[in-house]
Amino acid sequence: MPNIDPALWRDMMAYLRKRHSSICRQWFEELEPVDLKGGLLRVATSNGVQEKYLQSKCLDQFNEAAQSVTGALIGIRFITGSSVVSKSKGREAKLQPEVTITATVPPHPRRNASSSDFEADQMVLIPDNSFENFVPGPNNQLAYAASIAVANQPGTTYNPLFIHGGVGLGKTHLLQAICQSILNNKPETEILYVSCDAYMNQFIRCVQSGQMSEFRDRYRHVDVLVIDDIHFLAKRDRTQEEFFHTFNDLYQSNRQIVLSSDAAPSEIGDLEDRLISRFQWGLTAEVTKPGYETRVAILKAKSELRSMEVPDDVIAYLATKIDSNARELEGAIVTIQGHADLRGRSIDMKLVQEAMREPVAGSKHSQVTLQHIIDAVTEYFGVKLSDLQSRRRHKSVTEPRQVCMWLARKRTRFSLEEIGGYFGGRDHTTVMHSIRTVDAKSKKDPNFAKQVQHLDEQISQDTGAPVR
């Protein structure tokens, strides 16, 4: 195989850190270029989770870096192999044949070609969301310990595991950490990790196309079933009926079930009693808002993950200002990193105070959070957060969702990508479209403009922040 000039790879990494710092992580140092052949640069990753994440989330940025550094039309392909240099252990192994371990579900002999229709709806595991990067504290200790126990002995300990709590408190992180830990220990394990919204959409498609046998085979023959936001099942009688039988099949065959929700089983409205009972068979663990010490630890962990040097006084300042959830703590770190990169400055208290001069999500006083916006919009339009994060496209849902995105862009410092991710994993182009739609409709429809203005003023009144 042709050798790779080490300087080329170093220049690529430097380009990514300068132009796309938001995607860079510490574990990028473990990536290793394998060969450059026929205009294709193959890059080896440590595991299938990293490979699938990079391929789906970072491919364009890596292609851009390779083409910019070389001046040639070069493409990147990520592979999983044992060629990665373990810098932490100081050793290097020879490149082994490329393996094809997917991040969630390995190939299954019982499946036919139609199974590919299901794969697109699976949630991509994020390498950041591992147990090593999770910060345990009094607010999440039980959920954290139970998740580790389930990962070590799936199907035998705490089945089902039901984790519930508010937005941005670590539920999804724990679900993904369970998946990654199991796959690291037993790569052959068949894990199906989907959102409840995806599960319901698949069910509807299969009912309409007469593929219910494929649907049942898909969900009832996995080793581990992980579903995020199971509270979306509320009011879905036929879907609840199907999930009831799926649950029974998996449970009786000692297959692990892991669920998350924004409320405890007994507090989910319009959920059948028999499902509530089964959700409570195993362990129900709540996650709550982190305390000050935990917030400090989270900020340090998020900074280290991005290879950022953040002084202790800045960490303390942010931990005091932001008391809502881990997601908004990370949002502050991303905001500060962006300001530091754009200005070419190191991070200090002055830079942070300048970056946070305008209202930024998560501060206690005179600052607007995403939760403030969501509370105002859901109350005004009579919708639920689960509706805003779903894939529903009815006007009664899309309009409030677009208004939320518009207000989030105006009132917070979250990026378009972060706003889209919060509202159901949508990309930045969807957020841009929503913003343009609200602006255009406000100009054409005076009543709609008054509604948006009313919401903006209501948020200012509730938070004490100035009208903008």
Side-chain angles (χ1 to χ4, degrees):
M1 295 182 183
N3 293 326
I4 305 297
D5 183 357
L8 184 150
W9 183 249
R10 288 196 300 270
D11 290 346
M12 280 184 57
M13 291 296 100
Y15 181 95
L16 288 170
R17 285 191 293 270
K18 181 177 181 180
R19 300 293 182 90
H20 301 288
S21 59
S22 62
I23 72 165
C24 294
R25 297 293 186 272
Q26 273 187 334
W27 55 268
F28 278 20
E29 297 178 5
E30 299 176 1
L31 301 176
E32 181 184 336
V34 177
D35 58 22
L36 177 57
K37 201 172 185 180
L40 184 66
L41 174 59
R42 296 199 306 162
V43 178
T45 66
S46 296
N47 53 63
V49 173
Q50 291 181 358
E51 176 194 342
K52 189 169 184 178
Y53 174 79
L54 289 167
Q55 195 71 29
S56 63
K57 303 293 185 182
C58 305
L59 184 59
D60 290 343
Q61 294 89 336
F62 271 82
N63 283 337
E64 178 188 321
Q67 293 168 17
S68 176
V69 168
T70 63
L73 189 60
I74 292 177
I76 301 292
R77 182 185 178 189
F78 298 103
I79 63 172
T80 300
S82 58
S83 66
V84 178
V85 177
S86 177
K87 293 179 174 56
S88 60
K89 296 182 180 179
R91 58 185 176 83
E92 181 175 1
K94 294 182 179 180
L95 178 68
Q96 299 298 321
E98 181 183 338
V99 296
T100 56
I101 300 174
T102 63
T104 47
V105 181
H108 195 286
R110 288 187 293 269
R111 305 263 167 76
N112 55 34
S114 64
S115 65
S116 61
D117 297 335
F118 294 100
E119 308 303 322
D121 287 324
Q122 290 191 70
M123 297 180 72
V124 176
L125 295 177
I126 302 174
D128 292 0
N129 292 338
S130 64
F131 285 128
E132 291 76 11
N133 295 327
F134 189 84
V135 179
N139 62 305
N140 57 33
Q141 189 63 56
L142 177 60
Y144 173 69
S147 297
I148 291 178
V150 165
N152 291 335
Q153 293 183 302
T156 60
T157 305
Y158 306 134
N159 196 20
L161 174 61
F162 192 103
I163 302 174
H164 67 94
V167 174
L169 298 179
K171 302 186 301 295
T172 297
H173 189 142
L174 288 174
L175 264 57
Q176 295 208 7
I178 291 171
C179 295
Q180 294 191 54
S181 180
I182 292 174
L183 288 171
N184 286 337
N185 294 329
K186 295 182 179 180
E188 71 280 5
T189 304
E190 187 176 11
I191 300 177
L192 178 53
Y193 171 42
V194 296
S195 67
C196 187
D197 186 56
Y199 174 85
M200 293 187 297
N201 289 337
Q202 289 172 9
F203 174 73
I204 293 170
R205 288 201 304 267
C206 289
V207 168
Q208 293 173 341
S209 61
Q211 292 183 301
M212 282 308 299
S213 60
E214 288 87 347
F215 179 86
R216 287 165 182 154
D217 180 70
R218 184 73 183 87
Y219 278 89
R220 299 184 188 185
H221 295 99
V222 295
D223 299 314
V224 180
L225 175 62
V226 182
I227 299 185
D228 215 344
D229 294 328
I230 197 66
H231 54 272
F232 285 4
L233 280 181
K235 297 183 180 180
R236 303 298 184 98
D237 294 341
R238 290 189 65 186
T239 314
Q240 289 186 40
E241 172 76 20
E242 178 62 30
F243 188 73
F244 171 78
H245 295 295
T246 295
F247 184 102
N248 286 343
D249 274 14
L250 293 173
Y251 183 85
Q252 290 167 7
S253 57
N254 295 321
R255 309 296 180 93
Q256 181 67 51
I257 304 166
V258 183
L259 308 170
S260 79
S261 170
D262 64 0
S266 60
E267 297 174 358
I268 301 175
D270 300 302
L271 191 65
E272 294 181 3
D273 290 341
R274 58 181 179 173
L275 276 179
I276 294 174
S277 173
R278 278 158 176 77
F279 291 170
Q280 294 174 331
W281 278 357
L283 177 69
T284 299
E286 182 180 15
V287 291
T288 58
K289 292 173 61 173
Y292 174 78
E293 292 80 4
T294 305
R295 297 199 298 273
V296 168
I298 290 172
L299 287 164
K300 289 183 176 180
K302 298 296 184 183
S303 302
E304 292 172 1
L305 192 61
R306 295 171 177 272
S307 300
M308 294 170 58
E309 295 184 6
V310 183
D312 288 342
D313 61 336
V314 170
I315 294 289
Y317 171 77
L318 293 173
T320 302
K321 285 283 186 182
I322 304 171
D323 69 345
S324 47
N325 59 55
R327 187 173 296 165
E328 292 186 348
L329 290 169
E330 183 171 18
I333 291 294
V334 173
T335 298
I336 292 166
Q337 183 182 34
H339 277 265
D341 292 341
L342 287 172
R343 303 180 187 187
R345 291 168 51 184
S346 59
I347 297 172
D348 55 22
M349 185 62 74
K350 182 178 180 181
L351 173 72
V352 172
Q353 290 174 337
E354 290 173 357
M356 299 180 69
R357 181 177 298 166
E358 296 179 2
V360 62
S363 67
K364 290 173 124 179
H365 305 294
S366 301
Q367 295 186 355
V368 177
T369 69
L370 275 175
Q371 194 60 52
H372 288 135
I373 294 169
I374 290 166
D375 288 344
V377 172
T378 53
E379 181 179 358
Y380 185 84
F381 286 97
V383 296
K384 297 179 180 179
L385 173 59
S386 58
D387 294 325
L388 300 179
Q389 294 178 323
S390 73
R391 293 292 173 182
R392 292 180 59 192
R393 297 183 179 180
H394 192 276
K395 181 181 177 182
S396 63
V397 174
T398 57
E399 188 169 283
R401 184 189 295 133
Q402 289 171 343
V403 172
C404 265
M405 291 181 178
W406 186 88
L407 288 167
R409 185 58 172 170
K410 177 182 180 182
R411 285 290 196 160
T412 76
R413 299 192 70 88
F414 285 125
S415 67
L416 296 174
E417 183 179 3
E418 289 167 330
I419 294 170
Y422 189 85
F423 290 100
R426 290 169 167 81
D427 60 28
H428 70 283
T429 58
T430 302
V431 181
M432 291 173 63
H433 172 74
S434 297
I435 293 169
R436 287 195 293 265
T437 299
V438 172
D439 284 335
K441 189 171 181 179
S442 296
K443 292 178 181 178
K444 294 180 180 180
D445 186 345
N447 289 330
F448 179 77
K450 288 180 180 179
Q451 290 178 330
V452 176
Q453 182 180 0
H454 170 76
L455 285 168
D456 200 12
E457 292 173 350
Q458 183 64 50
I459 291 168
S460 294
Q461 181 179 342
D462 292 342
T463 62
V467 179
R468 299 176 64 193

